[in-house]
Amino acid sequence: MNDQPREISPAAIPADGSAPVVAIVGATGAVGVELMQCLESRNFPLSRLRLLASARSAGQRLPFRGEDLVVEELTEDSFEGVDIALFSAGATISRKFAPIAVAAGARVIDNSSAFRMDADVPLVVPEVNPAAMSAQDGIIANPNCVAAIMTVALAPLHRAHPVRRLQVATYQAASGAGAAAMQELRDATAAALAGEAFTPTVLPHPYAFNLFSHNAEVDPESGYNGEELKVIAETRRILDLPELPVGITCIRVPVLRAHAMAVTVEFDEPVAPEEARALIEAGAGLRLVDDVAANHFPMPCEVTGREEVLVGRIRRDLGDPSGRSLSLFIVGDQLLKGAALNAVQIAETVLAG
Ligand code: A2P
């Protein structure tokens, strides 16, 4: 790991008067709205915020720091005078417009998958591998939501005891598929409760009171879907373990905006659950929720709208007779640590130099 661990906090930003102009590309989307809220709640030092989206949203007004900002249509001329551009409008838009933003002098923090595996583009979780970034980076990639949430939980364990294998099952929220999928979950649930028929148009399967294998396309050769392959590749990259064996099954569940994951971690040597609990408790961006007596462990409803990632159910994996494996349950807000918060933390790290 490129890990000189350091706490990233708004207080680390120098208040020297040189506040940047920030643009959000995809400001009207599920992540875009959270980016605005993170910039506001973390008191990000900017001199001006520009909101960019498609022509459909141009003219719409969105509140920021007590003002109504007008959404502008994204064009090739949008980045004049922009210092930091936060992209969250999908990979196609990023591929086209991120290089244009960089050529106009902006640093791009990209939430899409477009550049995550480019050797020249760092893929960063600030609590895990901040040293992967340098002052020369035009584009910095924000990881897949599962990879970001999982690696922030694994980092303190991996620093103490090298991780040598992962087995993962995810329970992923609607938000990962965007604002339209969140609305489809609400509409499908309302229809089911009213006893009405509902035909999904955003996700491929019935979503109310149901779950299904992640909607990303399945690679016929490996049998893994695109989401699973992204998590494997990005987790290896963030932890700087290019050969790490990872098995994973990604499932979409009817939760609005927090992803959960059951993770079994094999270490180089046996690790006591008590030590793992202490490492998680002291870990940056983490909160231990592991109350065995009360049967109270991480839940989506308790992390929604919160910055920290919850970790609990830490126990020995009885399926590994060697004793080197622990099982844990990790839950994080997909729109925050899985997307907007991590991007804003990257921007804070950029500003801190
Ligand atoms: P718009 O609302 O104008 O369509 P989500 O991930 O929640 O679906 O959001 C996607 C975001 O990407 C929205 O802000 C959306 O804007 C934006 N977007 C989609 N297509 C374009 C485009 N062609 N140009 C600019 N922004 C786009």
Side-chain angles (χ1 to χ4, degrees), residues 25-31 52-57 74 88-90 93 177-180:
V25 178
T28 50
V31 175
L52 304 167
S54 78
R56 295 180 290 274
S57 306
L74 172 67
S88 193
I93 298 286

Side-chain angles (χ1 to χ4, degrees), residues 10 13 20-25 27 31-51 63-65 69 84-86 109 307 336 340-341 343-348 351:
I13 298 165
V21 174
V22 176
I24 298 177
V25 178
V31 175
V33 169
E34 297 295 328
L35 282 166
M36 290 176 73
Q37 283 174 12
C38 282
L39 292 172
E40 188 159 341
S41 68
R42 295 174 70 85
N43 205 16
F44 190 92
L46 54 85
S47 60
R48 184 179 169 207
L49 180 62
R50 305 254 315 270
L51 304 182
F64 182 72
R65 291 186 181 160
L69 302 186
I84 297 177
L86 304 167
I109 297 161
E307 294 194 350
L336 291 177
L341 170 64
V344 171
Q345 288 174 312
I346 292 173
E348 289 167 0
L351 284 194

